[in-house]
Each structure stands twice: as structure tokens, then as C-alpha cells.
Amino acid sequence: MTFDRTSQLVENAVKLTAALVNTAGVAVLVVMMLFTTSDVCLRYFFNSPILGGYELTQLLMVIFVSFALAYTAAHKGHVSVELVVPRLRERAQAVVNSLTTLLSFEIFLMIAWRNIVYGGQMALAQQASATWQIPFYPFYYVVAAGSIIICFALLSNLIEYLPKIVSGARPATWLGSLVLIIVVIAVLNLPIWGAGYIWKASPLISGLIGVIVLLIFLFAGMSVGSVMTLIGFLGMVYVNNLSAGYSIMASTPLSTFASYDNSVIPLFVLMGAFCFQAGLSQALFFTAYKWLGHLPGGLAMASVAACAGFAAVSGSSVATASTMGTVALPEMKKYNYAPSLATGAVAAGGTIGILIPPSIPLVIYGVITEQSIGKLFLAAFIPGILEAVFYIVTIYIMCKTNPSLGPPGQTTTIKEKVVSLKDTWGVVILFVIVIGGIYFGVFTPTEAAGVGAFGAFLFALAKGKLKWSNFVASLKETSLTAGMALLILLGGVVFGYFIAVTRFAFDLATIVSNLQVSSYVILAAILLVYLFLGAIMSGLAMIIITVPIFFPVITALGFNPIWFGIIIVRLVEIGQITPPVGINVFVIKGIAKDVPLFTIFKGIVPFLIADILHVAMLIAIPQITLFLPSLMQ
């Protein structure tokens, strides 16, 4: 049997197994949505909440996340920095990919092993939840099961890479490649097998070395969540001991997955998926077109306005860009819009998806920094609207200066404009329920996510758009998106423990805060780092890696943490459209296949200028961001 045939068989078996367990996972997610909505209704209308609702949500999250991670791994959906490796020759790519795959395999095998051991200990100790007395040990086995499936998915990838190393190469060449892989893995694992014999650096130097090694393997293309988990584990072993590392691998996955706050992520993603199936994206675009289409560049303006509207029910830049691009780009092509303006407007407008709440990056920032997610959502609202206004003004100036870029569309009557609003009521209602409920204290952000997802489900059902195939597609999309985000979050937590033990972030904060320069000079330096990182890596990864380091610096300098969260997300948005990575640009390229990549990046430039002016305004006038949170009780 050939390598290709073996690889295909293993891959199919892994995908089938992952799909089966993911069916159980998404069923649990639906139960979470219904359970959360029922709990809110019973508490608010009948003053009779479901006892133990908090702990049930936590335990259900463990099942969903464990299987979503496996499903995402089986479909190669975990995020990595694809910047250096694709530029190598095929054999060199295979060597590097084999190395990073083996390291990822090591970390998930470690997680599976330690959770099986720890689950046995929990069974003997008879540990159970407080209200429902549900035993904890089965959930450690669920984490282990998900990790084992990921291990098989990684083995499938390895079987795919190995033939590329040996094919057509001399024995000395492929043997040398395999020896190199073994040596690098052995050296990296020195803290484990060389414990007690290797030189120990100071905690601060250890933290610095950890950050450097992390960056090296990020650029080697290793999955972001995996590399952070690996370096965090090895760092803990190096700074403390092997027992400390084992303890983290046993306890952190379950504590991260069983987080009540983190359950907001899959529920908000599910809400956006249901809204897409309901056809809200098309309704938003054509309503915005009725109001703005007659202006110079009106279709591009309508695209931005529709992106802002869809952002209110999405929480994802990629989802917003891809959804609105599918609707808006054909219309702009029909009206002879310049490809640079058309693609640039949708790519930039899509970034609004992670600022106007609900916002997945803001949720993760709030979890990491222990800030109120409700206040972060409110703080993002005005900056998000202003961002759309900045983009619309940019389009107006461009098309007024050069009318051929975006010819005006058809003029509509006042009656047609007003009538078109009836198609957007679903977005308005969902946004008012979610944000209004948080603002007035009716429910928590997590409960808001559950209620919002259920509301979007009912809306899609009422419009007759939610067939069984669409329903299943929404659940699968949610698994892939949430699985990707939560593995990065797990890696961030493990790596954060290592950074905390080394006191790297706190020592850095002390050094920086003692510098004899203006706090705004230090802030500017930090923002430049974010601009650089945003151009080369995933926004979620950037937040999780850098916030534990820079947050103590920002608070030491006296800056408001809520305000800083909004600034970070704005910089992440800029990174979404900045070369060489610019993920939104590649999403739009996938839709507008006939438009050269250079043309899209060229169309982005005016919007980047608008972004810089917008960020400067938010820094100069913090009250734009802090006004609404200051009103929240």
C-alpha cells in the first residue's frame, strides 16, 4: 500500500471519527443555547432560575470544546503563521512541517495521558459538582478522548509529509533530515530529560528565551495554540520542575474549557451563523444600497454600512468580509466600479466585524485581563460606528475626486428607502436584545449570547430559511470557528502561567514604567509592535500572546484597561488588511478571483490611512470610548 493511499485512509478514518464526536458536541451546544435561554426566561419572568445552571454550562462546554478541537484538527482548521514555510522548497517544507507536527503530537499526547491519570485520581477522590453532584472524572476522559483524536489527525498529516522528504532524495539527504528533526525535538525537550543537569537561567532570562523560542516556532508554521501550550509546558518544567508541568497539562485544559465566560464564544459564533442562514446579509446590503447607492461610490458605502450592520450579529471579521463580499462585489462589478475600490471597501468594511459587539477578540481580552465584557462591548459601539463613518467619508472623497472609481447608482424615493428598512428589523431586534440586556443588567454576556443565538434561530426559522442542511452547516461552522479560537485560548493560558512564574511581564512593566519618557511615547512604541505583529499573524494569537506582557505595562502607566482593549482590537483590525498576511484580503481574493492581489492591497491603502486617523482620534479623545461604559450600572 502506498504512502498516499495510507494517508488517505487514515485521514478519512480521522474525519469520520471527528465528525461522529462533533455531532455529540454540537448537540451539547444546542442544549446550552436552549438551557441558557430557558434559565433567563424563568429567572426574569417567574423569579425561578434553574439551580446549578452555572455549573451545567461549564460541564457542557467541556464536551463541546473537546470535540470541536478534534473536528477542527481533522479539517486542518487550526491557525498557524503561514509566512516563511510556504516560501521554502517542497522537501524543506516537509521537514519543517514534520517537525512541528511531531511537536504538536507530543503536546496532545501529553494532555491525553495526564487527563487520563488525573481523571482516575478524581474518580478515587469522588470529586463532584456542588449542586447537581455530577462527578468530574468523566470530563477529564472527554478531554483525553478529544486529544487522542487530534493525535491521530496529526499522524495523518505526518504520513502525508514523510514521502516528500524521502521521494527522489539520496539516502544521506532524507536520513540527515530525519536526524535533524530528532535532534531539534530532543534539544527542545531538554527541560524534561535533562532536568537537574542543565544550566538554569534567571526567571527573567527564562521568560525572554521562552518568548524567542515561541516566535521561532510560530514562524516555522506550528499551530499557534499548540506552540504556546508546548512552550508554556516546557517553560514551567524548566523554571520549576516536571511535576509542575504535568500538573498544568492535567488541570488547565479542563479549567479553560469549563469556563462559563468562555461559553460566550461558541454561542455568539452560532448566532452569527444563524443570521447568515436567515439572509440578513443580503437584506442589510440592499437596504443600505437604497439609502446610499445614488451617491458617488454609493455601492461601496452601502457595503461598509452593511458590514457594520452584520457586525452587530457576527463577531468575526472573516465571516463579515466573506458574507458581504459574496453579496456586494457582483453588484459593484455590474455598475463598473474600479476593482480596487470594490474589493478594498469590502475587505476594510469586514474588519468592523470584530469591533461592533458582539466581538470574539473583546471577549478573549476581557477573560485574560479580568475586565467586564459588558463594558468592553459598550465601549466598542461608538468607535465601531465612527470607523464605518470614516470609511464612508473616505469613499466619498475618493469618488468625488475621481468619479470613474465608483459611479452613482440608481436614485430611490423616500418611500422606497423607508420601506427597505423593514428587512433589517431582525438585526435591530437581536442587537437591542443582546446589548440592551447586558446594559440594563437583565442578563450576563454569556446569557446574552445564548438568548441571541436562540433569537437568531427563531428568526431564521420564521423566514423559512433554516432547512436541516443549513442548520447542520451552521453547527459545523460554529465548531470550526470556536475550535480554532479556544485552542489558541488554551495555549495562551498555559503560556501565561509560564510568563507569570518568570515575572517577565511584571519586570518588563517595572522597567518601562521607570523610563524617563512620556507615557504616550511608551504607548506609541507598544502600538507599533501591535501594528508589526498584526501584519504577520492572527489577531486572536496576537492578543493572547501579547496582552499578558503589555497589560501590566499599560496599567502601570495609568491608562484605562477598557480603553486599551478597544485600541488593541482596532490594531487587530488594521492587521486584518495589512500585507503580507492580511487575512481579509485573501478572503476577498477568494471571492473576486479575477482581481489581482496587488490591486486589492492597492485598494486597501486609503482605508489604512482612515484607520490611522481613527485610532489617533480614539487615543486623543478617550471619552469617545469610555462614555457608554461610564453609564453602565
Side-chain angles (χ1 to χ4, degrees):
M1 186 179 291
T2 64
F3 265 116
D4 290 341
R5 177 66 175 161
T6 304
S7 174
Q8 191 63 52
L9 286 174
V10 174
E11 182 179 346
N12 290 341
V14 170
K15 283 187 175 180
L16 178 61
T17 305
L20 289 173
V21 298
N22 190 57
T23 301
V26 295
V28 163
L29 181 63
V30 172
V31 170
M32 283 171 54
M33 175 186 74
L34 298 174
F35 175 78
T36 303
T37 305
S38 302
D39 191 23
V40 170
C41 292
L42 287 171
R43 185 184 69 233
Y44 189 73
F45 294 110
F46 303 101
N47 195 28
S48 181
I50 300 173
L51 293 177
Y54 186 94
E55 68 184 36
L56 281 175
T57 299
Q58 288 179 307
L59 296 177
L60 290 173
M61 268 290 287
V62 176
I63 300 172
F64 168 73
V65 177
S66 298
F67 294 156
L69 292 184
Y71 184 74
T72 307
H75 289 80
K76 299 181 180 179
H78 288 301
V79 173
S80 57
V81 179
E82 298 290 343
L83 186 64
V84 177
V85 176
R87 290 169 170 75
L88 302 176
R89 294 182 178 180
E90 186 179 48
R91 181 170 290 112
Q93 286 187 38
V95 170
V96 174
N97 287 335
S98 297
L99 170 63
T100 56
T101 299
L102 284 168
L103 290 171
S104 297
F105 179 85
E106 173 190 348
I107 203 65
F108 284 106
L109 190 62
M110 178 77 70
I111 291 173
W113 170 42
R114 297 315 304 171
N115 274 269
I116 290 171
V117 172
Y118 206 64
Q121 295 173 356
M122 289 291 104
L124 291 174
Q126 297 184 340
Q127 294 284 333
S129 62
T131 304
W132 290 82
Q133 290 298 300
I134 299 173
F136 286 144
Y137 74 88
F139 297 93
Y140 286 96
Y141 296 150
V142 168
V143 173
S147 299
I148 289 170
I149 296 172
I150 294 174
C151 287
F152 278 107
L154 293 167
L155 284 177
S156 170
N157 296 340
L158 190 63
I159 295 172
E160 178 186 336
Y161 299 139
L162 288 178
K164 296 176 182 177
I165 297 176
V166 302
S167 178
R170 296 176 181 177
T173 301
W174 61 260
L175 189 60
S177 298
L178 296 179
V179 169
L180 175 64
I181 292 171
I182 294 169
V183 168
V184 172
I185 292 175
V187 170
L188 195 64
N189 282 276
L190 197 63
I192 297 177
W193 62 266
Y197 302 100
I198 56 176
W199 168 75
K200 289 289 185 74
S202 67
L204 180 60
I205 298 299
S206 301
L208 181 60
I209 292 172
V211 171
I212 293 171
V213 175
L214 173 73
L215 292 175
I216 290 171
F217 280 91
L218 278 176
F219 286 109
M222 190 172 175
S223 160
V224 173
S226 300
V227 69
M228 286 195 291
T229 306
L230 178 68
I231 302 304
F233 163 69
L234 294 174
M236 286 295 291
V237 173
Y238 178 75
V239 174
N240 287 342
N241 51 53
L242 191 57
S243 177
Y246 283 164
S247 177
I248 284 181
M249 289 297 96
S251 61
T252 307
L254 189 130
S255 64
T256 302
F257 301 163
S259 168
Y260 184 77
D261 289 336
N262 290 345
S263 64
V264 74
I265 295 173
L267 289 171
F268 271 138
V269 173
L270 185 61
M271 182 175 92
F274 284 150
C275 286
F276 170 72
Q277 297 295 348
L280 288 181
S281 52
Q282 290 180 320
L284 286 167
F285 173 74
F286 286 110
T287 298
Y289 172 50
K290 295 286 186 184
W291 285 83
L292 301 171
H294 66 285
L295 298 171
L299 276 174
M301 294 180 187
S303 302
V304 170
C307 284
F310 193 72
V313 292
S314 173
S316 165
S317 281
V318 171
T320 304
S322 61
T323 300
M324 299 315 306
T326 304
V327 178
L329 289 176
E331 291 294 317
M332 286 190 271
K333 186 176 182 179
K334 186 168 71 176
Y335 282 89
N336 297 317
Y337 270 58
S340 59
L341 174 64
T343 54
V346 180
T351 65
I352 306 174
I354 58 170
L355 185 58
I356 293 180
S359 165
I360 303 305
L362 282 177
V363 170
I364 291 176
Y365 175 86
V367 170
I368 294 172
T369 60
E370 299 181 349
Q371 298 299 310
S372 164
I373 294 172
K375 287 187 176 181
L376 285 166
F377 279 5
L378 289 175
F381 183 67
I382 295 176
I385 298 299
L386 277 177
E387 181 183 355
V389 171
F390 268 67
Y391 287 163
I392 289 173
V393 170
T394 299
I395 294 167
Y396 181 80
I397 293 171
M398 291 170 64
C399 294
K400 200 69 175 173
T401 305
N402 184 2
S404 65
L405 289 175
Q410 295 177 345
T411 302
T412 56
T413 64
I414 293 295
K415 181 180 179 181
E416 288 175 318
K417 288 180 171 64
V418 173
V419 169
S420 70
L421 293 173
K422 68 180 177 59
D423 296 325
T424 65
W425 63 270
V427 173
V428 174
I429 289 175
L430 283 174
F431 185 78
V432 168
I433 289 174
V434 170
I435 303 303
I438 294 172
Y439 179 81
F440 291 107
V442 176
F443 37 62
T444 66
T446 299
E447 292 170 336
V451 172
F454 183 67
F457 168 77
L458 291 180
F459 184 76
L461 205 61
K463 292 193 71 174
K465 297 290 185 70
L466 200 64
K467 300 177 181 177
W468 178 252
S469 58
N470 295 341
F471 178 70
V472 172
S474 298
L475 295 176
K476 288 181 178 178
E477 177 190 337
T478 301
S479 286
L480 290 171
T481 304
M484 174 271 294
L486 287 160
L487 178 60
I488 295 175
L489 188 57
L490 170 63
V493 172
V494 176
F495 187 71
Y497 284 146
F498 165 58
I499 291 294
V501 168
T502 63
R503 296 188 60 82
F504 176 75
F506 299 102
D507 289 344
L508 180 64
T510 302
I511 292 169
V512 171
S513 60
N514 288 334
L515 292 176
Q516 299 302 310
V517 294
S518 166
S519 58
Y520 283 94
V521 173
I522 298 171
L523 175 66
I526 292 173
L527 298 187
L528 286 174
V529 171
Y530 274 105
L531 284 174
F532 169 73
L533 292 177
I536 58 176
M537 66 192 304
S538 154
L540 288 180
M542 182 172 72
I543 290 173
I544 291 173
I545 292 170
T546 59
V547 165
I549 296 172
F550 289 132
F551 186 73
V553 177
I554 289 298
T555 53
L557 293 173
F559 290 110
N560 186 288
I562 298 291
W563 168 85
F564 183 62
I566 304 305
I567 296 297
I568 282 183
V569 172
R570 280 300 287 118
L571 295 173
V572 167
E573 287 184 305
I574 293 173
Q576 301 275 62
I577 53 175
T578 304
V581 176
I583 188 169
N584 272 25
V585 174
F586 291 101
V587 168
I588 297 303
K589 171 62 180 171
I591 299 169
K593 293 181 172 61
D594 58 329
V595 180
L597 201 58
F598 175 79
T599 301
I600 304 177
F601 276 120
K602 178 184 173 184
I604 287 296
V605 172
F607 298 100
L608 286 175
I609 295 171
D611 279 333
I612 292 170
L613 294 175
H614 182 225
V615 171
M617 174 186 282
L618 297 181
I619 293 172
I621 314 174
Q623 206 54 34
I624 293 174
T625 301
L626 299 175
F627 172 68
L628 287 180
S630 68
L631 301 178
M632 186 176 179
Q633 296 300 320

